[in-house]
Amino acid sequence: MADTLNETQVRHVARLSRLKLSDNDVPRLSKQISSILDYVAQLQEANVDGLEPMAHPLPLHSVMREDAISESLTVQQVLANAPGKAGAFFTVPKVLDAGMGGG
Amino acid sequence: MSTTAAEPQYKVLIGMEIHVQLATKSKMFTGAANGFGGEPNSQVDPVILGLPGVLPVVNKRAVEMAMMVGLALNCQIASQTKWDRKSYYYPDLPKNYQISQYDQPLCGPGSIELPLSDGSTKTVRIRRAHLEEDAGKLLHEAGMTDSLVDLNRAGTPLLEIVTEPDLSSPEEARLFGEELRRICRYLGVSHGIMQQGHMRFEPNINLHIYHNGKTVKTAITEVKNLNSFRSVERACGYEIQRQLTEFFANPEAAVSQGKSTRGWDDDKGMTLLQREKEEAHDYRYFPDPDLVPLHVDSGWVNDIRSGVVELPIARRKRYQEKLGLTAKEAFSLTEEREVADLFDRAAALGAPARRLTNLFLGPAAKMANEAASAEAATVLISDLPVTDKQYAKLAELIESGGISATSAVTVFEYLVKNLDADPAEAARTLGLVQVRDQSQTEAWVMQALTGNPQAVSDYKNNPKKKQASLGFLRGAVMKASQGKADPKLVGEILEARLNALAADGA
């Protein structure tokens, strides 16, 4: 049976998640993830005729907070677990491809 | 139609994506303060850091602000909407996803009437507007091997507005951006300070070129992250020329390539292709399990609708149709809400609109500009210490002939320098109360005539200069009277005298 997530796709997803895989990892993960996907695919057999698609399993909606400021962490706390810092900043290796800039 | 290659026939299509930072007190999904500046990483809490176990909770005010903008853009407000994760790995967003709205935006299709420079308007369709959160900031210091990360901006509520490609010139793209800024400022949802990144623009540009008897479409380019109106206009202008040039150099290639993303180099005045890995746009959207859907009932929408102020578009229309102002005057008065509000309050006190407009756009605008250049800051007419009541009294004083329009300028300057002064008293103090005494006015007229023999001679002998001379002499009389003469009486006596002289001379 063909894998639901083939090796090329595994490499693609790993790259998107910034995970480094060895060549040995790839066939193993392809099988494992495929079996998980196949298992979850059983949901496709459920009859959902006449049901609205749900975005969330809980019977809750419209949970909101008022626009009020609560305390931030101190800069020291914010940076406490950072592998790299300079002054009040985190430091990260230079990344060349464009970020979202909120886009 | 001529088909010379030198004059290509083409149509420009520009659609805009605009990100507006909403001026809430706290962030989109948590209570950390939302604001510009401050020490780096000082407006950050566990939700912004994406620490394990935290839960985002929607800021109700941000939703309401988004609805206000949606209603101002005549958008349909969705009765049900949800939150989705847009996955990407980049150090400006520690969660590795941005919370956004993918297939159920809060605001659906709408449109606005965009005022154009010739005084007409154009319908621009809005495709959608949705809420999301802003990312942090990366700083690349010269000489450093690492980049610096400041997460203060991360989690700021962002409204992304997307138009249909209805803008057909760089100028229209700029005008749209400016109008949207005005709308957001009127609504109080954004301060619209461009230098601080409150609004960011991404125009999508392509051309429909009439070539060899058919219409061909060039590939769409998106110019990222423009933060000034000038750069929007320049980047669009550059792209149009670039797409035209590339099309005529190689028509097939220019059409067949897919959509591309370009950056704007403001110093060089050109756009540059941004190299992106193909997989960069694989965002793997899915509903955020941390957030439940949002239902918007009609009662809530109506509450918000009733709080939406009269927008610049409606106000300009009212000033033109009800008050008889020109399109240009209406535009100037409605540029800032505070100024338009002050104008409306003074008008509501019974001040004649014409006199009021002349005061606002004459001495008031001049003094605000002078104050602005002296202080190197924005000073609006409404920032001057002149109240609605003072405007109303001064306008009535001019209307009733109590003072001349020329004297009103002096009185206005006096009001700015003397808080709470009464305009009528100020006019008396300054000796500017209009004089309508017949013999006094005759004396000023004679003084002007004897002092300006050339103008008198032109009036009598040179039909081409007749009107100009009359205007000049009228000014001379007003000057002789130090602005106190009644212009109407001056006009009558002056023309009578001149015509008598002309009859004598003939």
Side-chain angles (χ1 to χ4, degrees):
Chain A
M1 189 183 91
D3 288 327
T4 315
L5 198 75
N6 66 34
E7 294 189 13
T8 312
Q9 290 167 314
V10 168
R11 287 183 199 280
H12 174 64
V13 174
R15 164 74 193 140
L16 287 174
S17 305
R18 303 294 185 268
L19 293 174
K20 190 175 182 181
L21 301 185
S22 72
D23 287 347
N24 292 336
D25 292 331
V26 176
R28 183 172 54 82
L29 285 170
S30 171
K31 282 207 162 47
Q32 285 182 357
I33 298 173
S34 293
S35 83
I36 294 168
L37 289 174
D38 292 343
Y39 175 70
V40 175
Q42 290 179 61
L43 287 173
Q44 302 293 345
E45 293 160 22
N47 183 357
V48 292
D49 290 349
L51 292 179
E52 284 291 312
M54 291 166 72
H56 203 283
L58 296 182
L60 280 176
H61 64 82
S62 312
V63 177
M64 287 180 278
R65 39 175 274 275
E66 294 303 318
D67 181 24
I69 298 175
S70 58
E71 226 168 293
S72 285
L73 297 171
T74 64
V75 174
Q76 205 176 12
Q77 287 172 319
V78 168
L79 299 175
N81 296 327
K85 53 195 151 189
F89 293 99
F90 295 90
T91 57
V92 293
K94 258 191 191 147
V95 193
L96 291 178
D97 48 339
M100 299 293 300
Chain B
M1 185 169 63
S2 128
T3 51
T4 51
E7 282 179 35
Q9 305 284 325
Y10 64 94
K11 204 167 80 171
V12 175
L13 288 91
I14 302 173
M16 293 268 265
E17 288 176 26
I18 306 101
H19 287 94
V20 182
Q21 288 185 341
L22 300 177
T24 51
K25 295 191 193 83
S26 65
K27 294 197 175 177
M28 183 65 226
F29 297 106
T30 185
N34 174 32
F36 178 79
E39 189 190 1
N41 293 307
S42 63
Q43 293 162 7
V44 175
D45 66 13
V47 176
I48 300 298
L49 286 174
L51 296 183
V54 298
L55 274 182
V57 188
V58 171
N59 183 336
K60 189 178 181 189
R61 186 69 192 140
V63 174
E64 294 185 336
M65 285 179 165
M67 282 162 65
M68 284 164 79
V69 177
L71 290 169
L73 300 175
N74 303 300
C75 289
Q76 294 164 25
I77 306 298
S79 57
Q80 182 163 339
T81 175
K82 68 177 171 74
W83 308 94
D84 300 282
R85 290 186 180 182
K86 179 179 184 178
S87 305
Y88 72 96
Y89 272 64
Y90 201 66
D92 61 5
L93 204 56
K95 298 195 302 298
N96 295 327
Y97 59 83
Q98 176 191 35
I99 305 174
S100 182
Q101 299 191 298
Y102 180 54
D103 56 347
Q104 293 181 17
L106 179 63
C107 308
S111 69
I112 65 163
E113 288 302 309
L114 178 67
L116 302 179
S117 48
D118 65 358
S120 68
T121 62
K122 157 172 209 175
T123 304
V124 178
R125 290 168 301 156
I126 308 296
R127 185 176 295 171
R128 59 180 281 171
H130 70 260
L131 272 167
E132 57 187 30
E133 55 178 343
D134 208 344
K137 259 188 178 160
L138 281 189
L139 292 97
H140 310 282
E141 298 269 317
M144 278 192 71
T145 49
D146 287 345
S147 299
L148 303 173
V149 186
D150 174 8
L151 296 179
N152 280 352
R153 194 180 68 178
T156 296
L158 272 189
L159 182 65
E160 178 174 333
I161 302 160
V162 184
T163 79
E164 297 292 345
D166 290 344
L167 301 160
S168 35
S169 70
E171 188 195 30
E172 287 185 12
R174 170 176 59 78
L175 290 172
F176 179 81
E178 290 172 346
E179 184 70 14
L180 190 66
R181 175 177 180 271
R182 264 188 297 274
I183 289 172
C184 289
R185 283 174 55 87
Y186 262 63
L187 294 171
V189 305
S190 167
H191 303 301
I193 304 171
M194 311 301 291
Q195 298 87 326
Q196 294 182 6
H198 290 174
M199 293 181 88
R200 306 195 290 269
F201 300 92
E202 293 175 351
N204 281 255
I205 305 145
N206 82 326
L207 307 176
H208 288 186
I209 302 175
Y210 186 79
H211 182 66
N212 291 344
K214 52 184 181 179
T215 302
V216 279
K217 302 173 183 177
T218 58
I220 297 173
T221 54
E222 175 172 341
V223 185
K224 299 296 281 185
N225 267 329
L226 300 170
N227 56 14
S228 75
F229 299 121
R230 194 176 121 85
S231 63
V232 168
E233 187 164 9
R234 289 176 73 208
C236 289
Y238 178 87
E239 267 307 295
I240 292 166
Q241 286 311 313
R242 190 191 62 79
Q243 290 187 18
L244 271 182
T245 308
E246 288 194 7
F247 176 80
F248 286 104
N250 187 346
E252 253 118 73
V255 170
S256 60
Q257 56 189 232
K259 180 176 167 174
S260 61
T261 304
R262 302 181 73 88
W264 172 246
D265 185 324
D266 204 56
D267 296 329
K268 294 197 180 105
M270 61 191 291
T271 64
L272 298 162
L273 187 66
Q274 288 187 343
R275 291 190 187 282
E276 289 184 317
K277 296 177 183 71
E278 271 175 46
E279 62 201 21
H281 291 302
D282 193 345
Y283 294 129
R284 293 154 294 150
Y285 281 100
F286 68 97
D288 191 329
D290 286 346
L291 289 157
V292 293
L294 176 65
H295 293 186
V296 181
D297 61 36
S298 55
W300 193 18
V301 176
N302 288 337
D303 276 357
I304 299 301
R305 195 191 304 273
S306 65
V308 171
V309 296
E310 188 188 25
L311 295 165
I313 298 163
R315 232 178 247 212
R316 284 190 288 257
K317 202 166 171 222
R318 176 163 63 82
Y319 286 0
Q320 289 180 65
E321 290 174 2
K322 298 255 165 72
L323 304 182
L325 307 191
T326 66
K328 206 177 159 199
E329 287 168 337
F331 191 88
S332 302
L333 286 172
T334 54
E335 189 82 25
E336 299 287 347
R337 180 181 161 190
E338 291 83 352
V339 176
D341 284 351
L342 178 64
F343 181 87
D344 278 342
R345 286 199 306 273
L349 292 169
R354 170 49 43 210
R355 303 294 183 189
L356 206 51
T357 305
N358 292 350
L359 280 177
F360 267 67
L361 301 181
K366 184 166 164 270
M367 291 199 80
N369 282 339
E370 283 168 6
S373 38
E375 294 165 33
T378 308
V379 178
L380 304 178
I381 290 171
S382 50
D383 295 329
L384 298 173
V386 180
T387 65
D388 46 6
K389 290 191 186 66
Q390 288 173 308
Y391 273 109
K393 279 190 178 174
L394 186 53
E396 276 162 32
L397 211 51
I398 307 166
E399 182 75 8
S400 66
I403 59 171
S404 67
T406 322
S407 304
V409 175
T410 315
V411 174
F412 186 83
E413 284 167 3
Y414 181 88
L415 295 181
V416 171
K417 287 169 192 143
N418 297 272
L419 290 191
D420 302 324
D422 178 69
E425 268 179 45
R428 277 194 291 279
T429 307
L430 295 165
L432 292 172
V433 176
Q434 196 147 288
V435 175
R436 269 174 287 178
D437 179 82
Q438 182 86 19
S439 58
Q440 177 60 68
T441 310
E442 296 252 6
W444 283 324
V445 169
M446 290 317 291
Q447 192 184 330
L449 293 182
T450 47
N452 298 285
Q454 184 59 48
V456 174
S457 154
D458 285 345
Y459 183 89
K460 283 200 293 191
N461 307 321
N462 189 342
K464 277 186 193 163
K465 289 193 176 174
K466 191 171 174 178
Q467 276 310 311
S469 316
L470 183 62
F472 175 83
L473 289 165
R474 189 179 283 131
V477 179
M478 292 309 291
K479 204 172 160 192
S481 76
Q482 292 173 306
K484 286 185 279 189
D486 175 359
K488 202 168 160 244
L489 191 56
V490 169
E492 287 165 12
I493 295 174
L494 187 61
E495 281 198 69
R497 284 283 161 204
L498 282 169
N499 291 336
L501 284 172
D504 285 355

